[in-house]
């Protein structure tokens, strides 16, 4: 039979996909189409000091050079690691000035190939190039926290927002994505608002920390 029919795919309310592969192994039925997951490097430690000792990882992004940017919300900084897992630099620190953070939560690689970092407390984006130099900053338009932020292929930045209006039966809550387009000169221009049901989140994967209640990182799949 069709191997794909044996795979169960569930879509969670937030748009994340959960794929369940049967015990007999669907991937082995079509060797030419088999996916292989290979560990390239590993960072992080349970004890000790150093840039790979994290307090609370809140976001991940890969820059154009294949380096991994890791947000540590506890330390309010971003740590960059190369393709061998070696620490390259640390960006930011606790504060409210340009290039500083209170709680970095979402990391995105923008259409300009810069890394966009959302601060959930300061409600702003801090933008850095691949050399770790701050190139811009923008206020956030989204009012919903978490990872409900992403770019579309036409250079629109979508940020989840909740709007409340007065209806005949009382207050009505509208959940929308506020959309801004990145212009060639680096400015963000308001475009429109898109209702949630019309534009679901792209496929994503959740990383959950063992031994905690509800703590997770959500990142989109590079597919």
């Amino acid at each position: 039979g069709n191997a794909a029919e044996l795979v169960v795919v569930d879509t969670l309310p937030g748009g994340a996909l959960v794929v369940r592969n049967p015990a007999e192994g669907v991937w082995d039925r079509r060797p030419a189409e088999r996916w292989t997951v290979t560990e390239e490097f590993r960072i992080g430690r349970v004890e000790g000091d150093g840039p790979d000792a994290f307090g609370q990882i809140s976001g991940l992004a890969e820059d154009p050079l294949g380096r991994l940017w890791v947000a540590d919300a506890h330390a309010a900084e971003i740590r960059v690691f190369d393709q061998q897992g070696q620490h390259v630099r640390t960006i930011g620190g606790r504060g409210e000035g340009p290039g500083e953070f209170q709680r970095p939560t979402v990391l995105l690689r923008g259409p300009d190939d810069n890394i966009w970092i959302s601060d959930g407390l300061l409600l702003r984006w801090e933008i850095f190039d691949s050399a770790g130099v701050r190139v811009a900053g923008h206020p956030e338009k989204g009012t919903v926290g978490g990872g409900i932020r992403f770019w579309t292929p036409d250079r629109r930045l979508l940020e989840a927002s909740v709007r409340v209006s007065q209806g005949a039966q009382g207050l009505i809550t509208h959940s929308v994505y506020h959309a801004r387009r990145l212009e060639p000169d680096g400015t963000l221009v308001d475009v429109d608002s898109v209702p949630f049901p019309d534009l679901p989140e792209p496929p994503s994967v959740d990383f959950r920390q063992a031994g905690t209640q509800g703590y997770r990182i959500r990142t989109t799949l590079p597919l």
Side-chain angles (χ1 to χ4, degrees), residues 55-91:
Q56 181 183 354
I57 297 176
S58 55
L60 304 167
E62 184 180 27
D63 70 13
L65 300 178
R67 296 179 300 198
L68 187 65
W69 292 48
V70 183
D72 190 324
H74 186 267
E77 62 188 24
I78 313 299
R79 300 169 194 168
V80 184
F81 298 85
D82 64 20
Q83 294 181 338
Q84 288 71 48
Q86 299 299 311
H87 178 248
V88 176
R89 63 176 60 91
T90 295
I91 297 170

Side-chain angles (χ1 to χ4, degrees), residues 133-147:
V133 177
R134 182 184 184 272
V135 295
H138 297 283
E140 282 201 54
K141 291 295 185 76
T143 60
V144 177

Side-chain angles (χ1 to χ4, degrees), residues 180-211:
R180 289 183 287 174
R181 179 174 289 111
L182 181 64
E183 298 297 321
D185 63 358
T187 58
L188 279 175
V189 178
D190 289 349
V191 179
D192 53 24
S193 295
V194 182
F196 265 29
D198 295 338
L199 191 59
E201 289 186 71
S204 59
V205 62
D206 285 353
F207 297 92
R208 298 181 183 273
Q209 181 174 335

Side-chain angles (χ1 to χ4, degrees), residues 114-222:
N114 292 324
I115 302 299
W116 291 58
I117 303 168
S118 166
D119 192 301
L121 290 182
L122 297 178
L123 300 179
R124 71 186 187 194
W125 291 97
E126 290 289 303
I127 298 96
F128 296 83
D129 64 17
S130 59
V133 177
R134 182 184 184 272
V135 295
H138 297 283
E140 282 201 54
K141 291 295 185 76
T143 60
V144 177
I148 314 178
R149 311 277 191 273
F150 59 91
W151 289 96
T152 64
D154 61 353
R155 298 173 66 91
R156 286 188 302 166
L157 175 62
L158 302 188
E159 302 162 288
S161 296
V162 174
R163 297 177 180 176
V164 179
S165 62
Q166 182 67 49
Q169 304 299 323
L171 296 178
I172 302 174
T173 300
H174 306 275
S175 297
V176 299
Y177 285 118
H178 185 88
R180 289 183 287 174
R181 179 174 289 111
L182 181 64
E183 298 297 321
D185 63 358
T187 58
L188 279 175
V189 178
D190 289 349
V191 179
D192 53 24
S193 295
V194 182
F196 265 29
D198 295 338
L199 191 59
E201 289 186 71
S204 59
V205 62
D206 285 353
F207 297 92
R208 298 181 183 273
Q209 181 174 335
T212 62
Q213 295 293 326
Y215 174 65
R216 71 182 185 185
I217 304 169
R218 173 172 294 179
T219 185
T220 54
L221 293 173

